């Protein structure tokens, strides 16, 4: 029924750019843009994959409020079914304030009590019988309800039918180390940390060493995202660098990592080799940073193919 299933957050982003530190010392700052967008790691991945032509299941959670209705409408506009979305009363749908500086880098204001931090195993489990052969857990360390024990339970459930499991992540919130999550790694066919996220887990800054270490701990393929430097790929065949695709201007890096993951999974779903998946992923990320909003730079498969050429 689906090509790819995505698990994680779906929220609203309010973007303001460009923001400098003077915002805290002046009463008013004019912006080039202030706009509402949609975000959350899983929603970003799902929308991009849908626009690239894949049938996508999004397993997520929203509140029974105006923001939640807007998320559901946005999903339907992007041909994403809403049957796997848990709608919970008395829960605020996550809304992030995203402050973007002159270099396109972001700073987030988040609500720790909203849906962004409330996705639980019980919200996901009932949807997994219909899950696709490829599953992306898009937000390790996002929801505290999905702690290491619950993630192990979730990953084991996903792998019951020998599905391909990809894991994306954010920064560890409670000082977790690689040793703390080592029991999770053999479940993973692929993991997509950025270089800062994996450095927090290992204490090592070198993305090549970190990628190799992930593979030595059981991950089949480790892809460390390195921003403007592309990515580092490691698997049983070795470790190598894949260059980034040049961009004309970097307006907003919001969602770049999610677009990278979506591009990589698109390649996996099409039977591509790992390095080609990584090149396509870099092309997808390059499209995203040239527009405001997590999904503003990709509207069709041709957008990424043109950039890859």
């Amino acid at each position: 029924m689906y090509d790819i299933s995505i698990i994680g957050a779906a929220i609203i982003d309010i973007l303001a750019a460009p923001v400098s530190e003077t915002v805290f010392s002046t009463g008013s700052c004019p912006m080039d843009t202030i706009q509402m967008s949609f975000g959350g790691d899983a929603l970003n991945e799902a929308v991009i994959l849908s626009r690239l032509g894949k049938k996508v299941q999004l397993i997520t959670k929203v509140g029974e409020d105006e923001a939640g209705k807007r998320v559901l409408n946005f999903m339907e506009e992007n041909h994403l079914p809403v049957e796997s979305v848990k709608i919970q009363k008395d829960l605020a749908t996550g809304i992030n304030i995203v402050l973007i500086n002159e270099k396109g880098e972001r700073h987030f204001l988040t609500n720790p009590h909203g849906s962004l931090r409330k996705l639980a195993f019980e919200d996901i489990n009932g949807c997994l019988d219909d899950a696709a052969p490829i599953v992306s857990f898009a937000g390790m360390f996002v929801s505290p309800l999905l702690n290491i024990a619950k993630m192990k339970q979730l990953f084991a459930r996903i792998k019951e039918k020998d599905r391909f499991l990809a894991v994306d992540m954010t920064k560890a919130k409670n000082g977790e180390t690689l040793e703390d999550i080592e029991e999770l790694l053999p479940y993973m066919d692929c993991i997509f940390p950025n270089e800062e996220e994996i450095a927090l887990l290992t204490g090592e800054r070198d993305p090549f060493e970190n990628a190799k270490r992930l593979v030595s701990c059981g991950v089949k393929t480790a892809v460390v995202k390195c921003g403007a430097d592309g990515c580092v790929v490691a698997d049983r065949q070795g470790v190598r660098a894949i260059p980034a695709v040049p961009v004309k201007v970097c307006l907003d890096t919001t969602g770049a990592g999610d677009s990278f993951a979506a591009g990589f999974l698109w390649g996996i779903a099409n039977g591509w080799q790992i390095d080609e998946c990584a090149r396509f992923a870099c092309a997808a990320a390059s499209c995203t940073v040239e527009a405001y909003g997590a999904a503003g730079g990709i509207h069709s498969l041709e957008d990424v193919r043109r950039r890859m050429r």
Side-chain angles (χ1 to χ4, degrees):
M1 185 175 179
Y2 303 108
D3 299 314
I4 301 171
S5 296
I6 312 291
I7 301 168
I11 64 169
I12 286 178
D13 286 337
I14 306 297
L15 310 173
V19 177
S20 70
E21 293 182 3
T22 60
V23 70
F24 299 105
S25 58
T26 59
S28 177
C29 291
M31 298 287 107
D32 288 347
T33 183
I34 299 176
Q35 65 185 60
M36 189 187 82
S37 182
F38 293 87
D41 39 35
L43 181 60
N44 295 341
E45 284 187 27
V47 167
I48 296 301
L49 281 163
S50 179
R51 292 179 181 178
L52 295 178
K54 296 301 178 187
K55 295 179 181 178
V56 183
Q57 177 193 33
L58 175 57
I59 303 173
T60 189
K61 184 178 192 175
V62 299
E64 195 177 85
D65 55 11
E66 182 61 30
K69 292 176 185 176
R70 288 178 179 268
V71 169
L72 295 174
N73 289 339
F74 182 68
M75 288 178 60
E76 291 177 334
E77 289 168 3
N78 284 277
H79 310 292
L80 295 172
V82 299
E83 287 78 11
S84 298
V85 180
K86 170 71 176 295
I87 302 171
Q88 182 175 320
K89 293 181 179 180
D90 304 319
L91 175 67
T93 300
I95 299 176
N96 280 355
I97 307 298
V98 187
L99 306 180
I100 305 164
N101 68 18
E102 294 87 347
K103 296 180 180 179
E105 298 297 330
R106 306 141 305 145
H107 302 273
F108 292 93
L109 306 179
T110 68
N111 175 9
H113 309 295
S115 63
L116 179 65
R117 310 292 185 205
K118 297 299 182 181
L119 189 65
F121 176 80
E122 293 72 22
D123 302 317
I124 302 165
N125 186 46
C127 302
L128 293 179
D129 289 336
D130 297 325
I134 299 170
V135 177
S136 172
F137 180 61
M140 177 182 274
F141 303 128
V142 170
S143 175
L145 300 180
L146 290 167
N147 57 23
I148 292 171
K150 285 297 184 181
M151 282 191 283
K152 184 176 181 180
Q153 186 179 0
L154 174 61
F155 294 170
R157 176 85 166 82
I158 291 169
K159 297 295 285 187
E160 282 177 2
K161 295 186 178 179
D162 197 32
R163 298 179 176 99
F164 182 100
L165 174 60
V167 176
D168 205 349
M169 61 186 295
T170 185
K171 293 178 183 177
K173 303 292 190 298
N174 299 300
E176 294 92 343
T177 67
L178 191 64
E179 287 71 24
D180 293 326
I181 67 165
E182 194 164 356
E183 63 183 318
L184 304 178
L185 300 178
Y187 291 100
M188 301 179 192
D189 294 283
C190 192
I191 189 170
F192 305 114
N194 68 33
E195 53 188 335
E196 185 176 359
E197 291 161 353
I198 189 60
L200 287 174
L201 292 177
T202 66
E204 165 67 58
R205 299 298 305 178
D206 186 344
F208 288 85
E209 292 301 319
N210 282 331
K212 288 191 290 185
R213 189 169 174 187
L214 284 165
V215 172
S216 71
C217 290
V219 176
K220 293 181 179 63
T221 300
V223 184
V224 179
K225 298 173 289 190
C226 301
D229 293 323
C231 66
V232 173
V233 175
D235 53 21
R236 298 291 186 263
Q237 283 67 54
V239 59
R240 57 271 188 200
I242 304 295
V245 174
V247 300
K248 297 176 181 177
V249 60
C250 180
L251 290 178
D252 177 14
T253 58
T254 304
D258 303 327
S259 295
F260 180 99
F264 196 99
L265 293 173
W266 186 90
I268 291 293
N270 283 278
W272 287 12
Q273 297 297 312
I274 292 297
D275 288 11
E276 284 304 297
C277 292
R279 292 187 179 95
F280 190 80
C282 287
S286 75
C287 294
T288 296
V289 301
E290 289 190 348
Y292 287 114
I298 299 176
H299 301 281
S300 69
L301 178 58
E302 184 56 29
D303 289 337
V304 185
R305 281 180 165 165
R306 186 185 307 114
R307 184 60 56 89
M308 200 173 181
R309 289 194 293 266

